[in-house]
Structure formats: C-alpha cells, structure tokens
Amino acid sequence: MGNDRKILMENIVYLDGDFVPASEAKISVYDHGLLYGDGVFEGIRIYNSRVFKLDEHLQRLYDSAKVINLKIPLAFGEMKEKILETLRRNNIRDGYVRPVITRGPGDLGLDPDKCKKASVFIIADKIALYPEEYYENGLNVVTVPTRRNAPEALNPRIKSLNYLNNILAKIEAKNANVIEAIMLTNDGYVVECTGDNIFIIKNRIVFTPPTYIGALNGVTRDVTMSLARNMGLTMEEKIFNRYEVYISDECFLTGTAAEIIPVVKVDGRIIGDGRPGSITQELVKSFRYLTQTTGTPVYE
Ligand code: PMP
C-alpha cells in the first residue's frame, strides 16, 4: 500500500519518446550533458492551466541548441506537444516545466560527434515560490567577485547546461547571506544575476543592460520591457555600472521563477526610500495579470 501510494505520487517524466516514473527516468553516465555540461534547457511556468510564453521559451531553446550545433530530435511542434502532454500526465495547473536536451551518450573525449543521438527529457513539477514577504519588502542583494562568462568565451545568451559560472556566484551570494547576486562583466558593467535579469529606474526611465554584453535574453525581461513601454515609460537597453544602481530610484529583478521582484538594498546601499518602488509595484501587478490571463492552454 505504502509502495502503491509512492508510485501514484511519483512524477511522470518524458524521456526520449516514453513517459516514465521519475525513478525510472535515467540517462547514461556517458551522456555529455552530464560529463561536460554539453546541452541546453528551459524553465517555463504554468499559471492557471496555461503555459506562459511557451513559444518564446521554445524559440530560445532551439536557438541555444543551434548555437552549440546540437540537433534537437523533435520538431518545434512536437516538442510543444510533449511538454503539454507531460503537464497533463502530472495534472499540473500551476507549476514549472523543464525541457532538457543533452548531447547524448558518447565516449570520454570531448568530441560531440561521438554522441550519436541527443537525449530529450521533460520534467514537470510544482515550483517553490519565493516567500511573499520578498515581494512586499524587497530583496537585499550584493555584487559578487565572480564575473559573468565573457560572451566571447561562452555566450550567456546560450541557455546551456553549463551553469557553473552562475553556481560560483550563487555560493558567494549565500556566503553573504543573500539569495541573489549581481554579476558584472569583466569591464565592471552590471550585466545580470545568477538566475535573473536586472532593471533599474531613474527619473521614470527604465534601464536594463543589453544582452550582448553577456546576459541571458530573459523571457520575463522581454515581457517587462513591453509592459514598461505600454505604461508610457521610456525603456532603454543601456550599459551601466554599480554607481547607477546605487543612485537609482528603483531596482528590480526578473525571471521565470522570481517573476518581477523588487530590490531595496545593493551592497549595503539603500535603493530609493528602501521600499519597493511604485513603478516596480505597477509592473508586478501588470505582470501577474498577464500570467493569469494569457498562455497556451494545457487541457483544451
Ligand atoms: N539570467 C539567467 C542566468 C537565468 O538563468 C535566467 C532564468 N532562466 C534569467 C536570466 C531570466 O530569464 P527568464 O526570464 O527567461 O526566466
């Protein structure tokens, strides 16, 4: 009985054409996704039985795969259908879905041509949300010493399985007792956070760093830029450094997990009046409305 219950409660994972219980979803220790971080992935939210910005996430997935010369063995439409089916099999109405494409099993060398077939798996699960108090009171963040990968080396616009750069920064954030960290480029420009994009507002002008300096082209970032423009605000993609952050009126982060989250302290400097800014709060409200009312239906 205990065992049956466990089986019933187990997540169902899509893996290379089959839907299997999570405990049976296994990949080879020779998979280059594991051995070398050679692969790509996405993180996508489901709100109110609809997938938010599914096409945008999938486009980024296929773009990332193309840049690393990885052929995804499913067509765009098939991938979409497998994602929706995985959500249905897990009865997810509010949650998160993670498609992952690895280079597949090869030998112990780096050569991707030794990997005969890419592996595809899709995990659908609940999402651990940030506590509401972070949205009400804002985050305290710090800048960390680990620099964001240089785009000339490993372009952060590729959403690859190689997240060690971000993990090193996350460790530094945790050492400083904060949950998110600002990362800089080698030249010292603010670029993004370990798993979020960053925005600042000064005199009602909204700024975010351009992705070409080394930030992920965040789906939430794109949505936020549109919302800001629709609110009649001037929206600029522009490089800036920590000075501009410290003297900004408002600051916030964007990401699939965090949504839009206010920042009230950076490296010990209070941002604005130390409370989530009014424009940020407007954006949070508009963003939440959008997530609840748009998206690809899962169950129709
Ligand atoms: N930057 C990094 C490094 C990330 O991992 C993420 C989360 N995927 C983001 C930004 C935010 O992107 P999105 O809004 O598409 O989730």
Side-chain angles (χ1 to χ4, degrees):
M1 169 69 193
N3 237 354
D4 288 353
R5 241 180 102 75
K6 192 164 164 245
I7 290 163
L8 275 177
M9 285 167 65
E10 218 182 313
N11 273 355
I12 300 297
V13 174
Y14 172 86
L15 174 61
D16 291 331
D18 296 316
F19 289 94
V20 295
S23 61
E24 289 167 30
K26 292 186 176 144
I27 61 159
S28 166
V29 293
Y30 284 95
D31 194 305
H32 281 204
L34 177 62
L35 288 176
Y36 298 117
D38 187 354
V40 294
F41 76 103
E42 271 303 320
I44 312 170
R45 284 285 283 275
I46 295 84
Y47 297 92
N48 209 10
S49 301
R50 291 197 193 94
V51 189
F52 189 61
K53 299 286 169 194
L54 179 55
D55 283 3
E56 288 79 354
H57 280 284
L58 287 185
Q59 191 57 56
R60 186 170 67 186
L61 182 72
Y62 279 77
D63 288 347
S64 291
K66 183 169 191 186
V67 175
I68 70 163
N69 213 16
L70 171 64
K71 179 153 176 34
I72 299 182
L74 293 176
F76 195 96
E78 288 172 317
M79 177 68 75
K80 205 163 158 173
E81 197 34 58
K82 297 298 178 206
I83 286 175
L84 294 172
E85 182 63 19
T86 309
L87 290 167
R88 286 193 283 264
R89 292 202 183 213
N90 289 284
N91 195 24
I92 302 272
R93 286 165 196 278
D94 286 278
Y96 182 86
V97 66
R98 164 78 54 100
V100 181
I101 326 296
T102 73
R103 189 76 67 178
D107 64 16
L108 290 180
L110 292 177
D111 186 356
D113 290 339
K114 295 279 168 60
C115 307
K116 292 301 169 213
K117 194 166 184 293
S119 267
V120 178
F121 56 90
I122 304 169
I123 308 168
D125 214 331
K126 295 182 198 69
I127 182 164
L129 299 173
Y130 284 137
E132 187 57 30
E133 64 174 83
Y134 289 161
Y135 297 89
E136 279 163 21
N137 301 326
L139 290 184
N140 174 16
V141 302
V142 297
T143 315
V144 288
T146 295
R147 298 298 168 109
R148 190 70 176 108
N149 283 330
E152 299 80 5
L154 173 56
N155 198 323
R157 290 170 82 174
I158 306 165
K159 196 164 171 63
S160 82
L161 293 181
N162 196 321
Y163 252 56
L164 202 45
N165 180 227
N166 315 57
I167 290 165
L168 292 176
K170 184 82 174 179
I171 289 168
E172 290 166 346
K174 292 190 77 174
N175 285 342
N177 281 322
V178 296
I179 62 156
E180 186 51 294
I182 296 176
M183 300 181 78
L184 307 176
T185 65
N186 264 332
D187 296 328
Y189 294 112
V190 169
V191 59
E192 64 172 338
C193 297
T194 68
D196 298 297
N197 291 108
I198 183 164
F199 287 69
I200 57 172
I201 305 175
K202 185 74 178 174
N203 299 327
R204 296 185 62 79
I205 303 176
V206 187
F207 299 95
T208 193
T211 54
Y212 65 77
I213 68 167
L216 186 76
N217 195 356
V219 171
T220 321
R221 173 184 181 275
D222 263 358
V223 173
T224 305
M225 289 199 294
S226 305
L227 288 175
R229 290 192 178 107
N230 290 345
M231 280 165 61
L233 298 162
T234 304
M235 176 72 239
E236 289 187 19
E237 289 178 80
K238 199 177 152 208
I239 55 173
F240 54 84
N241 57 34
R242 283 186 296 169
Y243 179 87
E244 277 84 22
V245 178
Y246 297 157
I247 64 157
S248 66
D249 301 327
E250 301 186 28
C251 176
F252 62 86
L253 312 181
T254 65
T256 292
E259 303 179 332
I260 297 177
I261 193 159
V263 171
V264 294
K265 203 179 199 187
V266 178
D267 297 333
R269 279 74 160 185
I270 302 286
I271 304 302
D273 63 3
R275 300 287 311 153
S278 57
I279 297 174
T280 307
Q281 284 175 319
E282 280 284 298
L283 287 167
V284 170
K285 224 186 284 168
S286 307
F287 183 80
R288 286 188 168 169
Y289 179 76
L290 213 56
T291 58
Q292 289 301 321
T293 54
T294 63
T296 308
V298 180
Y299 297 96
E300 291 163 19

